[in-house]
Amino acid sequence: MEEEFEFDFTEDPQFSVERYEEMIRNHDQYFFDAQAFENIIDYYIEKNDPVKALQVVEYARAQHPFAAVFLIKQAQLYVVTNRIGDAFASLDRAQTLEASDADIYIIRGNLYESIDRYPEALENYEKALGMAEEIDEILLHIAYVHQNMGDYETAIGYLKQCLEQNMENQDALYELAFCYDVMDNQAESVQFYQQYIDNEPYSYAAWYNLGNAFTKLTLFEKAIDAYDYAILIKDSFASAYFNKGNALVNLEKYAEAIEVYRQTFEYEQPNADTYCAIGECYEKLEQMDEARSFYKKSVKMDPKLADAWFGVGVTLDFEERYFEALHFYKKALDLDLTNPDYWFAIADAEYKLGHLVEAESAYEKVVELNPLDTDAWLDYSSILYEQKRLDSAIEVIAEAIKNNPDAAELYYRMVAYLFARGELNEALSYLEQALTADPEKHYILFDYLPQLQENKVIIDIINRYTK
């Protein structure tokens, strides 16, 4: 037998849920007003139960067939359950009932955005702008679409409009920083956040992003000041502590950085990145036992953090435990095969172990990945020179110079090799180029071939550039 119960929507939403569940248990049918149904649907959404929420929508639509709100709720739930086509259909039906509801166009814009149909997404968001009372989130989504289209300048314009509507929109603040970063326009980023702070001096997010912009401009002292303000406003802001620690590292204030990194543990669980950062500070302080301890904590927490495995290797290398270091360098390399620093460390360790063939192969990989690494080119050529492969050493330095035409140390090394091969005129030509590039580095030549200090021709040429 069908019973009808009508409930006042002002009643406790929990009461509506209990009555609904009672109806389901009794296989009965009660009447609920539209607001009560909305409350019940929202309850199941909050409980992360979209299937039950969709069941309630069906009951609601049956009792309130002309209420667009339930078609809109249905569309939202279809999005959650990845029924994109059904979501579009529900929105189309909702639009025929209430074409002026901004949520229809916002959700449809979200759908088009999710499937990379950006012009349709923008069209729907623009319609929503003319209907919604609060538009900051719509402006934010329009900015997202322009970012996805690669138009960061336009995105910045919409993000600024978003903040004009709601100065406390944290997402917009962070997205602005991202856009300025992509455009490599940190100066304008600094200017924006300073102006923003003039109006909102207690915005910890603005101070934080200002600190990040100063960091990218390598203005680390100013960055630290900005992070300090962010922390002063929100003393539990773990990210501000972490980035302040990074700025201190850049200033080589490693002991201070360690203390700041440790402060993050008061406000969030320790994580692998922070342990690794502390390990690196101890490494720079040459406290290798402490460094290794923190690197090991890091890899225990995140075995895929390559830098932490590498750090363990560095501490062992420092202690001349090259064979053990090599093991950890290779574990790091397994996680990041294209990291030239890892290949360089492996090459160096192999060389120290007397494995010249392996070292040569690793150096070859370093210069392939990072042809601007002059130290790698020099070491690579040295291995060849030590094996009396002078022609190959000269070829390597020639290639190095091609990639680094302003690196004086490469020219000085070429001078040494050419003298060793007896090509004096060509050697002197390279010496002139080396001295033109950087006369103060002429000592490099004598470090490599001390006997050249007795060569009057070379000394005379050097004196012309240094006196």
Side-chain angles (χ1 to χ4, degrees), residues 153-164:
E153 195 74 55
T154 302
I156 285 171
Y158 279 101
L159 289 167
K160 287 181 176 178
Q161 288 182 53
C162 172
L163 288 166
E164 286 170 8

Side-chain angles (χ1 to χ4, degrees), residues 62 89 143 189 263 295 300 308 339 358 414 421 425 448:
S189 183
Q263 285 181 281
Y295 283 137
K300 185 175 181 181
N339 189 312
E358 291 83 353
M414 181 66 96
R421 195 161 70 175
N425 289 334
Y448 207 72

Side-chain angles (χ1 to χ4, degrees), residues 2-40:
E2 183 179 303
E3 293 184 56
E4 287 196 358
F5 293 87
E6 185 169 355
F7 302 110
D8 184 351
F9 70 85
T10 59
E11 290 198 41
D12 182 0
Q14 185 63 35
F15 179 69
S16 297
V17 173
E18 290 170 0
R19 297 296 293 171
Y20 171 78
E21 291 183 345
E22 177 187 288
M23 179 187 80
I24 298 298
R25 283 195 305 273
N26 295 338
H27 303 288
D28 216 332
Q29 189 161 341
Y30 304 165
F31 180 83
F32 296 84
D33 66 23
Q35 184 61 56
F37 267 129
E38 283 192 63
N39 291 338
I40 299 166

Side-chain angles (χ1 to χ4, degrees), residues 46-63:
E46 288 171 14
K47 296 277 284 185
N48 196 27
D49 194 342
V51 174
K52 281 190 178 177
L54 278 167
Q55 290 173 347
V56 181
V57 167
E58 291 302 328
Y59 279 106
R61 287 189 58 211
Q63 292 188 11

Side-chain angles (χ1 to χ4, degrees), residues 147-362:
Q147 285 182 48
N148 289 328
M149 294 168 69
D151 186 357
Y152 294 97
E153 195 74 55
T154 302
I156 285 171
Y158 279 101
L159 289 167
K160 287 181 176 178
Q161 288 182 53
C162 172
L163 288 166
E164 286 170 8
Q165 295 293 321
N166 178 7
M167 290 288 280
E168 296 181 2
N169 192 308
Q170 302 285 315
D171 290 334
L173 275 176
Y174 286 104
E175 287 303 318
L176 256 175
F178 171 76
C179 288
Y180 282 127
D181 199 18
V182 170
M183 295 175 67
D184 196 24
N185 193 350
Q186 300 306 328
E188 193 171 325
S189 183
V190 166
Q191 183 181 15
F192 170 80
Y193 285 111
Q194 286 176 329
Q195 289 174 349
Y196 183 91
I197 286 164
D198 286 342
N199 295 313
E200 293 285 329
Y202 297 106
S203 171
Y204 64 87
W207 281 110
Y208 174 74
N209 283 302
L210 178 60
N212 291 345
F214 279 135
T215 294
K216 292 182 177 79
L217 290 168
T218 68
L219 299 171
F220 301 116
E221 296 282 5
K222 288 186 174 183
I224 289 167
D225 287 342
Y227 293 135
D228 280 340
Y229 278 112
I231 291 164
L232 189 64
I233 297 163
K234 184 181 179 183
D235 63 3
S236 61
F237 195 179
S239 295
Y241 288 104
F242 185 81
N243 283 11
K244 179 184 175 182
N246 292 344
L248 287 164
V249 166
N250 280 294
L251 293 171
E252 299 183 5
K253 296 181 177 181
Y254 303 116
E256 289 180 52
I258 289 169
E259 292 308 309
V260 174
Y261 285 137
R262 286 180 184 274
Q263 285 181 281
T264 66
F265 300 155
E266 297 175 26
Y267 307 109
E268 68 178 11
Q269 288 295 312
N271 61 67
D273 287 329
T274 308
Y275 278 145
C276 188
I278 293 173
E280 186 175 354
C281 288
Y282 278 119
E283 177 200 317
K284 297 295 186 184
L285 293 168
E286 297 188 0
Q287 297 179 32
M288 295 304 172
D289 287 340
E290 285 289 334
R292 192 153 52 243
S293 170
F294 277 94
Y295 283 137
K296 285 182 176 179
K297 286 180 182 180
S298 180
V299 295
K300 185 175 181 181
M301 190 166 281
D302 182 3
K304 293 187 177 180
L305 187 57
D307 278 347
W309 289 112
F310 182 71
V312 175
V314 170
T315 65
L316 294 165
D317 198 313
F318 182 85
E319 296 168 356
E320 300 183 6
R321 296 158 65 181
Y322 306 125
F323 185 78
E324 293 170 78
L326 197 55
H327 168 75
F328 288 97
Y329 289 154
K330 287 180 177 178
K331 286 185 79 70
L333 188 67
D334 286 342
L335 294 165
D336 186 359
L337 280 168
T338 59
N339 189 312
D341 293 336
Y342 299 169
W343 281 106
F344 198 135
I346 287 169
D348 185 58
E350 295 280 22
Y351 174 76
K352 288 168 181 171
L353 288 166
H355 304 158
L356 298 187
V357 174
E358 291 83 353
E360 179 186 336
S361 176

Side-chain angles (χ1 to χ4, degrees), residues 381-382 385-386 413 416-417 443-451:
S381 71
S382 288
Y385 182 75
E386 285 180 29
R413 181 64 65 85
Y417 290 159
Y443 65 87
I444 295 172
L445 181 60
F446 303 137
D447 285 347
Y448 207 72
L449 286 181
Q451 63 268 34

